Amino acid sequence: MRIITGKYKGRHFDIPRSFKARPTTDFAKENIFNVLNGYIDFEEATALDLFAGTGSISLELLSRGCQQVVSVEMDRDHHRFIQQCVDILKGERNSPSSMFNIQCIRGDVFRFVKSCRMQFDFIFADPPYALEQLPMIPDLIFEKGLLKEGGIFVFEHGKHNDFSTHPHFVEHRSYGSVNFSIFRRPA
């Protein structure tokens, strides 16, 4: 797993082979972030990473200068791995403590979303593609008011899902077997 750009550009983390989750491919991650640069300035943004998995997106957001990152992952080992990666970055020289406003939460994403009282400039969700509740996630994000006005929600999903009729849908991007639907809350 590699950080694409920002303060920690090129930094690698070895993911244990025993992990069920795999990070979004570097190719897909680099391309979707290139698209997102036209939508959002990550510096000073508040961000939420749901179904964080290996923490690839959370660390990328941290590296790009997000003011605050909240990372939610249910799996105990994955959550611990994300926290270890953050701790490694914190321990590096030239890492100002102000860059580490990251909260790693171990818990169920649906419970978190239902009880969350914060709003975010950017939300990324990468649920397991076979998750039964997957089609309901975009509606849940908007019903719970988790996005600030003008906020962007990126949803990674399988090729069999189509969200183009959703009222907040903006565009779809596909990179190999990785599909992203982008949504925006009106300003």
Side-chain angles (χ1 to χ4, degrees):
M1 177 175 80
R2 178 174 63 94
I3 297 176
I4 303 296
T5 198
K7 173 139 179 84
Y8 299 107
K9 178 180 179 177
R11 187 71 169 80
H12 283 86
F13 295 94
D14 293 324
I15 299 166
R17 292 181 184 202
S18 62
F19 275 19
K20 295 172 258 173
R22 291 284 167 235
T24 300
T25 65
D26 285 351
F27 175 75
K29 182 168 66 170
E30 185 169 11
N31 280 290
I32 195 62
F33 272 96
N34 285 340
V35 170
L36 292 172
N37 285 333
Y39 285 102
I40 188 168
D41 179 5
F42 288 101
E43 287 190 23
E44 303 304 315
T46 56
L48 174 62
D49 183 9
L50 299 172
F51 304 95
T54 61
S56 173
I57 299 299
S58 295
L59 296 174
E60 189 71 36
L61 293 167
L62 189 65
S63 183
R64 289 171 184 257
C66 283
Q67 178 183 9
Q68 181 179 18
V69 177
V70 177
S71 177
V72 183
E73 172 55 44
M74 187 163 60
D75 184 275
R76 179 194 61 197
D77 294 333
H78 295 191
H79 172 264
R80 185 181 307 127
F81 178 77
I82 296 167
Q83 190 61 60
Q84 288 171 347
C85 292
V86 169
D87 291 344
I88 288 168
L89 293 178
K90 277 184 186 178
E92 290 184 359
R93 282 188 318 171
N94 305 324
S95 291
S97 60
S98 62
M99 284 203 55
F100 289 94
N101 193 359
I102 182 167
Q103 185 179 8
C104 298
I105 297 171
R106 180 175 171 236
D108 179 77
V109 165
F110 294 99
R111 285 184 183 165
F112 174 84
V113 167
K114 289 176 183 175
S115 65
C116 183
R117 300 292 174 246
M118 295 177 61
Q119 285 190 315
F120 301 90
D121 298 299
F122 178 74
I123 299 174
F124 187 93
D126 179 11
Y129 291 179
L131 184 70
E132 187 178 320
Q133 303 97 320
L134 185 142
M136 301 181 298
I137 293 172
D139 286 335
L140 187 61
I141 296 296
F142 287 97
E143 286 169 9
K144 295 299 179 184
L146 295 183
L147 276 177
K148 292 179 182 176
E149 288 186 4
I152 298 295
F153 169 47
V154 174
F155 192 41
E156 185 174 334
H157 55 83
K159 64 182 178 182
H160 299 296
N161 300 102
D162 179 7
F163 296 97
S164 60
T165 60
H166 192 279
H168 299 290
F169 177 83
V170 176
E171 69 174 291
H172 173 262
R173 294 292 176 124
S174 177
Y175 305 104
S177 63
V178 181
N179 289 267
F180 298 101
S181 288
I182 302 172
F183 304 82
R184 172 178 250 158
R185 179 177 172 196

